[in-house]
Amino acid sequence: MVMRRALKEGDLDLGLLLEQDVPEPDLAKRLLLKEPMSIGLPRQYPAGDLVTSERHVILYTEKGCNYRKVFQWIFEDKGIQTDNVIGIASVEVIKKYVRCDIGVSFLPTIVIKDELTRGELKHVPWESHDSVELKIAYHKDKWLTPAMTEFIRFVSAEAVQWQGT
């Protein structure tokens, strides 16, 4: 929310957004990649999928985070009560809480890749026709300097290599 406002008001030249497709007429956005997402579960979680668990809290990312809304929708869709929640701004803290068997969370798969490889977490890959995407954004009326244009070109070219890492 803060970044979007800064982009719209011209206080920020460029921003990277991780979101579902959100139409915003004031912003120009370029898709970099579709980001695979996962429900991160403690290794000791009682099921292989997201279930009602009074023992585990729901670890949400900070308010305003677009994929937090997706996680909330997943709970609604599964009919799971969400009374026991903690909002945390730091992804690293969220990962530690999940590793310590405190709760479950919804994160980009790349963020928990190392923990999955080491067997510290398990996960449920999230699949949807309405994917989470990484985009570079700027105000639609912003004059792009040669440096900004080169940065967009560079990040776009690099993003092709990120898919699958």
Side-chain angles (χ1 to χ4, degrees):
M1 286 173 84
V2 173
M3 186 180 303
R4 277 188 172 70
R5 188 172 339 137
L7 287 166
K8 289 177 182 180
E9 293 173 1
D11 296 332
L12 186 63
D13 291 330
L14 298 169
L16 290 173
L17 304 174
L18 186 61
E19 63 182 14
Q20 288 183 287
D21 191 28
V22 178
E24 293 173 282
D26 292 340
L27 296 182
K29 299 178 187 177
R30 295 190 187 183
L31 175 66
L32 298 174
L33 59 93
K34 293 183 187 259
E35 187 67 52
M37 302 292 290
S38 288
I39 300 169
L41 305 169
R43 190 179 52 193
Q44 306 86 346
Y45 198 70
D49 195 1
L50 189 60
V51 296
T52 300
S53 173
E54 292 180 18
R55 182 169 178 268
H56 295 95
V57 299
I58 298 161
L59 303 167
Y60 282 131
T61 50
E62 63 189 322
K63 285 187 179 181
C65 177
N66 283 306
Y67 55 86
R68 175 183 174 144
K69 296 173 190 166
V70 175
F71 199 29
Q72 291 169 326
W73 175 84
I74 292 170
F75 282 107
E76 288 175 25
D77 188 54
K78 291 182 173 284
I80 297 174
Q81 283 292 98
T82 57
D83 299 328
N84 194 8
V85 302
I86 299 175
I88 302 170
S90 168
V91 171
E92 288 304 315
V93 171
I94 290 173
K95 291 187 330 180
K96 286 180 183 176
Y97 282 12
V98 175
R99 276 196 322 263
C100 291
D101 198 28
I102 294 171
V104 300
S105 194
F106 184 68
L107 297 166
T109 306
I110 191 72
V111 170
I112 59 172
K113 179 182 174 195
D114 291 341
E115 290 80 0
L116 292 171
T117 301
R118 292 189 301 262
E120 297 171 351
L121 300 178
K122 58 185 178 179
H123 74 124
V124 178
W126 178 72
E127 295 182 20
S128 172
H129 67 282
D130 195 10
S131 62
V132 175
E133 302 170 337
L134 179 64
K135 300 174 184 176
I136 193 162
Y138 52 92
H139 192 281
K140 69 175 179 63
D141 296 329
K142 172 73 89 182
W143 176 70
L144 297 178
T145 67
M148 291 166 60
T149 301
E150 177 59 20
F151 181 79
I152 292 169
R153 187 207 61 74
F154 175 77
V155 170
S156 298
E158 288 298 308
V160 171
Q161 300 173 43
W162 300 340
Q163 193 75 42
T165 56

